[in-house]
Amino acid sequence: MLRTREFFKMNNKHMTLGEFIISNQKSFKYSSGELSRLINSIRLAAKVVNHEIRKAGLVDITGAAGDINVQGEAQQKLDVLANNLFKQTLINREIVCGIASEEEDDYVVVEGNNKANENKYVLLMDPLDGSSNIDVNVSVGTIFSIYRRVSPVGTPVTQEDFLQKGNEQVAAGYVAYGTSTMLVFTTGNGVNGFTLNPAIGTFYLSHPNMKFPEIGKIYSVSEGYFTHFQEGMKRFLIHCKELNKEDNRPYTARYIGSLVSDFHRNLIKGGVYIYPATAINPKGKLRLLYECNPMAFICEQAGGTASDGFTRILDIKPTELHQRVPFYSGSKQLVAKAESFMNEFSSDEKPVYE
Ligand code: AHG
Ligand code: MN
Ligand code: MN
């Protein structure tokens, strides 16, 4: 009993996400209250998805005989489930005029009874990032990116509303479903992290004003593809492993295979995450609109750098909804070092966007 009381006392020292949204609404880029309501809806969807993810192991055990859940239905894949939960939460609240998602071939036009397309914002998301980690009980995430529409309010959204440069983002964030569940987001005034107390379903401001440490020594790259990397990337990886006391090398290799988790760890401990171009995937693997842009916005707001190895991610003009780009992000010095190798040895392979 005493323990429970102490626990709540501790939590109540921290501001809740709801309180944070109310007290910061004026600093949001456009402070009509619409963005606050949208972030509130994301908070709700994150809690529901968190609840589903935490059951995954149990469902797997009961469904082990043949992929059938307790209701006798074929078990839904969590990435589709997460997509539907986020989509439905936003559609039901009539809070966005359009949604684009990794799990949808095309963007979704949101039209409701209550003239939902009067809403100003579009949301792009990776509803479940790192889905290859679900079955092995390793952290996964959700990534979201928010823009103001560019097409006239009151008309159905168009592709142009989604193909905006990352530097037009109004807000971006991720949810990390790890040892604890965290919502980390920015509205262009720094980055704040909120940890969910699952007992009462409340997010608390546990990580105010998050910043990449100046000196990082973690590199996160799937080195198994080394043979397919460009020369600049290969030279950077050799550099990371060389002995050099001055800059604390060799560095530490950490790769979870969940962008959200790898990025989140590097944001706290200092490091660089790279998904480079490979001979097999010359544009890399990660998607510009709902993976790289939101992470790049958070990265810069936390004092880090995000590029494709040559060009700032937030300056790229997107051409397609599911466009892929190489992605270099994290502590300034480490990204700069990787870019310097790319410029020296692979400048003839610099991506061109038109
Ligand atoms: P998603 O599960 O949304 O498709 O994204 C997976 C991404 C990213 O999270 C991760 O860093 C990367 O794919 C891992 O890819 P590799 O297995 O090729 O390293
Ligand atoms: Mn992903
Ligand atoms: Mn995904």
Side-chain angles (χ1 to χ4, degrees):
M1 186 61 203
L2 183 71
R3 263 211 215 129
T4 311
R5 207 179 304 140
E6 289 301 311
F7 180 65
F8 280 107
K9 231 162 65 188
M10 185 192 79
N11 274 324
N12 286 333
K13 274 188 201 163
H14 298 284
M15 189 182 268
T16 68
L17 175 54
E19 289 164 346
F20 179 89
I21 292 169
I22 292 166
S23 63
N24 283 274
Q25 189 176 312
K26 285 210 177 77
S27 73
F28 291 174
K29 205 167 173 186
Y30 311 95
S31 62
S32 67
E34 206 172 315
L35 183 59
S36 302
R37 288 205 298 126
L38 176 49
I39 294 170
N40 268 323
S41 303
I42 292 167
R43 170 179 68 157
L44 174 63
K47 284 194 271 192
V48 178
V49 170
N50 175 65
H51 179 71
E52 295 301 325
I53 285 172
R54 299 293 173 208
K55 287 194 305 199
L58 274 176
V59 174
D60 276 347
I61 291 161
T62 49
D67 278 337
I68 304 285
N69 71 13
V70 277
Q71 284 96 40
E73 298 155 350
Q75 194 192 343
Q76 260 188 323
K77 287 181 79 176
L78 268 182
D79 44 11
V80 177
L81 188 65
N83 183 55
N84 291 341
L85 287 169
F86 266 92
K87 203 172 77 177
Q88 222 43 65
T89 305
L90 299 171
I91 291 174
N92 291 347
R93 274 158 193 76
E94 298 184 4
I95 188 65
V96 289
C97 50
I99 299 168
S101 164
E102 183 189 336
E103 306 301 337
E104 306 280 340
D105 291 349
D106 206 351
Y107 62 87
V108 178
V109 180
V110 180
E111 283 175 327
N113 301 329
N114 197 15
K115 295 184 187 162
N117 61 20
E118 294 285 330
N119 289 321
K120 291 192 286 286
Y121 295 106
V122 294
L123 180 130
L124 300 92
M125 63 175 168
D126 176 355
L128 206 83
D129 172 64
S131 33
S132 68
N133 281 324
I134 294 167
D135 294 344
V136 289
N137 205 358
V138 174
S139 303
V140 291
T142 295
I143 309 172
F144 62 89
S145 164
I146 299 169
Y147 292 86
R148 259 171 98 96
R149 65 184 301 171
V150 288
S151 60
V153 172
T155 60
V157 281
T158 66
Q159 177 134 299
E160 293 319 303
D161 295 316
F162 298 95
L163 298 185
Q164 300 189 52
K165 283 186 183 174
N167 60 23
E168 298 295 333
Q169 285 171 105
V170 174
Y174 60 80
V175 187
Y177 310 98
T179 45
S180 55
T181 296
M182 277 191 74
L183 175 58
V184 175
F185 76 99
T186 181
T187 54
N189 282 303
V191 178
N192 291 287
F194 299 81
T195 303
L196 180 67
N197 177 344
I200 54 174
T202 303
F203 280 104
Y204 286 93
L205 178 57
S206 51
H207 294 64
N209 197 20
M210 297 176 84
K211 293 283 175 211
F212 274 98
E214 290 279 316
I215 302 161
K217 60 165 294 182
I218 294 174
Y219 70 102
S220 311
V221 185
S222 186
E223 268 194 276
Y225 303 131
F226 189 91
T227 188
H228 300 307
F229 289 160
Q230 295 161 327
E231 187 59 24
M233 191 61 219
K234 286 180 176 170
R235 300 266 182 154
F236 174 66
L237 290 170
I238 292 165
H239 165 86
C240 291
K241 287 182 279 207
E242 275 167 359
L243 180 66
N244 183 310
K245 285 198 177 129
E246 268 167 42
D247 57 358
N248 220 359
R249 280 179 285 147
Y251 295 147
T252 303
R254 289 283 182 274
Y255 191 75
I256 297 168
S258 262
L259 167 63
V260 167
S261 316
D262 280 308
F263 180 95
H264 183 72
R265 180 205 50 244
N266 292 353
L267 170 54
I268 291 174
K269 292 196 165 180
V272 58
Y273 172 93
I274 304 178
Y275 205 110
T278 68
I280 295 160
N281 296 310
K283 292 178 177 169
K285 178 185 181 189
L286 300 180
R287 275 61 50 114
L288 173 61
L289 293 190
Y290 41 81
E291 292 181 313
C292 303
N293 269 338
M295 296 314 248
F297 189 20
I298 296 164
C299 187
E300 289 194 3
Q301 285 292 317
T305 304
S307 78
D308 68 358
F310 303 93
T311 304
R312 183 182 179 231
I313 290 288
L314 299 181
D315 284 338
I316 299 171
K317 174 75 184 109
T319 48
E320 301 163 43
L321 222 45
H322 300 289
Q323 183 174 349
R324 294 174 196 266
V325 288
F327 190 54
Y328 294 59
S329 67
S331 298
K332 257 194 173 119
Q333 283 177 17
L334 283 170
V335 177
K337 194 74 204 173
E339 286 174 341
S340 74
F341 280 106
M342 293 304 289
N343 277 306
E344 192 176 345
F345 297 102
S346 301
S347 57
D348 52 335
E349 292 170 273
K350 179 177 170 171
V352 181
Y353 304 97
E354 33 196 53

